[in-house]
Amino acid sequence: MEKEKKGGIFSGLFIFIFIILLLVGSFLLIKYLLLSGKIYKDSGCDSYELSHNKEVVEVNGLNQIIKDSNPLSDKSIDFTRSSEDVTTSGLFVIDSSINDSYPIYYYRGVVNNNYVKLGSYCFRIVRTTDVGSIRLIYSGLSSDNTCNVLDTTIGNSPYNMSYRGEKYINYNDSMIKDYIDKWYIENIDIYKDYLNEDINFCNDTNVMSWFGYLDSMSTKDESSLLDENKKIEKNTREKVDESYMDYIIPNYIQRILDGDDKYYCTSYRIYKGIPTTGCDKKYSININNGKLRYPIGLLSVEEAILAGGGTLKSSRGNSTYYLYNGGNYWLLGSDGFNGSSKMYAINGSKSLNETYTLDQEFGVRPVIELKVNTLVQMGDGTIDNPFVIV
């Protein structure tokens, strides 16, 4: 009887240990599969579809010139890599929009034929839109018939005066919006007949799930993981010996579950290399919904990725693509909120893997849109002979 009792105890203990090992093993396997991208859970981040209008439309003017430049499909581009890293340059079309009424064309990498002159002001064509308008980023004040200019910004400004709250990410109530609006009134408003007043900007602060966070972190390379360790060591003022999987990931997930940290879907798309030009209506910024007073704003971080900026997988900063100007300037888009609000910016020496507190003074390069089929008076789009609108 006593032998049977002991045998039962050992048997029960064996079963208990087996169950514990099975649960631990299953947890580690699931964690590995999530981090390695082998399985996918809902990130909480939708890919916003474009209008995909298929009706036949008339195309002329600058739209026709862009179309005739024979854009290439972007289906095979790895957007986690910079255009310098994988040598992709020229005019491309978003593959899913190829058969639309207005395919979305965009310039990427080393480009020398996307200069536009509006009065005395030079711009670079960034892309077209699904309604045919042409998005431009400011590129300097010209004193002659060329776009050989020294300063491609309108000046420097903080994004906002404070960063100690999530609300300060809101472009509509930002200091930089006031700065840009003032410049528009004094310099560009006289050309408003050429501008698309239905311009739409997106500041997506939709919060990704912790599954999305795991999925996005799985794309990081070894050097970025080491950087993450250094950040934690600096913030906690203690040495972090634990591995990335054993310490950093669980620590961040717990902060997400506790509601202390929020990571936005903009960040998810950046890490995964899936930039979008679409926008949830909830996060759109335009004149029709009363959020914009003037048809002007900032370039999005996702547009900068399309242009060749690259993300965390890039082995180096990109100093050759057409958006590079050697300095820092603000973009529209935030990676999240973790006690302070930060926004993305073009960095003079790095890829688009850095965000900055809103009170820093960076360069400002406004974005406007020309109306569909805007006529060109002269020029071939080069720096010495830009497309002249007026």
Side-chain angles (χ1 to χ4, degrees):
M1 178 73 75
E2 194 168 327
K3 286 184 178 180
E4 290 181 5
K5 188 174 182 180
K6 286 183 178 179
I9 291 173
F10 282 121
S11 177
L13 184 61
F14 174 78
I15 293 172
F16 175 76
I17 293 174
F18 175 77
I19 292 173
I20 293 298
L21 290 174
L22 181 64
L23 290 173
V24 171
S26 299
F27 170 76
L28 292 174
L29 177 62
I30 291 171
K31 187 163 70 168
Y32 165 75
L33 291 173
L34 278 168
L35 288 173
S36 62
K38 304 293 185 184
I39 62 176
Y40 173 77
K41 293 288 184 179
D42 182 17
S43 66
C45 301
D46 296 324
S47 293
Y48 305 116
E49 288 295 325
L50 305 172
S51 62
H52 295 302
N53 190 348
K54 307 293 184 182
E55 67 181 69
V56 178
V57 297
E58 179 185 0
V59 177
N60 57 49
L62 189 52
N63 291 75
Q64 186 64 51
I65 293 173
I66 294 172
K67 182 180 179 180
D68 289 343
S69 297
N70 299 316
L72 302 171
S73 169
D74 69 353
K75 193 172 184 178
S76 62
I77 293 179
D78 178 1
F79 290 107
T80 65
R81 300 281 182 180
S82 73
S83 58
E84 185 174 84
D85 212 17
V86 294
T87 318
T88 50
S89 293
L91 181 66
F92 294 85
V93 59
I94 292 179
D95 189 74
S96 63
S97 73
I98 285 177
N99 297 316
D100 291 353
S101 302
Y102 294 108
I104 298 180
Y105 305 122
Y106 63 91
Y107 290 89
R108 177 176 173 86
V110 182
V111 179
N112 57 17
N113 63 343
N114 66 339
Y115 289 89
V116 171
K117 205 156 177 284
L118 190 65
S120 299
Y121 302 97
C122 289
F123 295 84
R124 304 293 291 269
I125 302 172
V126 176
R127 66 178 180 92
T128 62
T129 74
D130 58 353
V131 295
S133 54
I134 301 168
R135 184 160 293 202
L136 312 176
I137 186 170
Y138 180 79
S139 193
L141 178 63
S142 173
S143 59
D144 55 26
N145 295 325
T146 76
C147 281
N148 284 295
V149 296
L150 296 177
D151 191 355
T152 60
T153 73
I154 63 170
N156 296 316
S157 171
Y159 183 87
N160 233 337
M161 287 304 295
S162 178
Y163 57 88
R164 296 296 185 184
E166 194 176 4
K167 65 181 180 179
Y168 296 111
I169 292 170
N170 184 4
Y171 178 76
N172 304 311
D173 300 315
S174 68
M175 183 177 181
I176 199 169
K177 178 180 180 294
D178 293 339
Y179 189 87
I180 290 173
D181 283 354
K182 182 176 184 295
W183 179 82
Y184 173 89
I185 295 169
E186 295 174 351
N187 300 279
I188 302 297
D189 188 56
I190 58 173
Y191 305 111
K192 63 183 178 182
D193 290 343
Y194 298 93
L195 304 184
N196 173 33
E197 292 199 341
D198 291 329
I199 190 171
N200 185 72
F201 299 97
C202 192
N203 193 12
D204 190 352
T205 54
N206 185 33
V207 179
M208 76 169 82
S209 69
W210 70 272
F211 285 114
Y213 180 80
L214 278 175
D215 194 27
S216 66
M217 292 301 99
S218 69
T219 64
K220 286 194 172 186
D221 58 23
E222 184 178 350
S223 63
S224 63
L225 301 190
L226 292 174
D227 288 342
E228 207 73 50
N229 267 302
K230 290 177 183 177
K231 287 179 184 178
I232 288 184
E233 182 179 338
K234 180 180 178 181
N235 292 338
T236 60
R237 298 185 181 280
E238 61 185 35
K239 188 175 181 180
V240 178
D241 293 321
E242 292 88 346
S243 72
Y244 188 73
M245 284 180 62
D246 292 339
Y247 178 80
I248 300 176
I249 290 292
N251 179 271
Y252 277 2
I253 288 177
Q254 190 58 54
R255 289 183 62 81
I256 293 170
L257 295 176
D258 291 343
D260 296 329
D261 289 358
K262 295 179 180 179
Y263 294 92
Y264 298 148
C265 287
T266 298
S267 176
Y268 178 81
R269 290 189 293 271
I270 289 171
Y271 286 130
K272 298 300 290 183
I274 48 174
T276 180
T277 58
C279 186
D280 186 330
K281 288 183 179 179
K282 181 178 178 182
Y283 305 109
S284 67
I285 308 169
N286 53 53
I287 289 177
N288 291 333
N289 62 19
K291 294 180 180 180
L292 281 186
R293 188 174 180 184
Y294 305 106
I296 193 167
L298 286 173
L299 191 73
S300 77
V301 61
E302 298 186 59
E303 288 171 322
I305 290 173
L306 287 174
T311 64
L312 290 180
K313 281 188 177 180
S314 300
S315 61
R316 58 184 179 272
N318 190 351
S319 61
T320 59
Y321 73 135
Y322 74 93
L323 289 180
Y324 178 83
N325 70 354
N328 298 347
Y329 58 91
W330 289 112
L331 297 171
L332 193 60
S334 173
D335 67 341
F337 176 76
N338 59 355
S340 64
S341 297
K342 298 179 180 181
M343 298 291 284
Y344 285 99
I346 295 283
N347 184 290
S349 60
K350 297 179 181 179
S351 299
L352 297 175
N353 59 351
E354 294 287 339
T355 52
Y356 303 86
T357 54
L358 310 183
D359 61 336
Q360 297 187 70
E361 285 209 9
F362 285 168
V364 181
R365 296 184 70 180
V367 169
I368 59 175
E369 280 180 8
L370 297 175
K371 290 179 178 178
V372 62
N373 296 336
T374 295
L375 297 179
V376 174
Q377 304 299 321
M378 63 183 73
D380 58 12
T382 58
I383 192 170
D384 291 321
N385 191 23
F387 296 123
V388 175
I389 307 303
V390 62

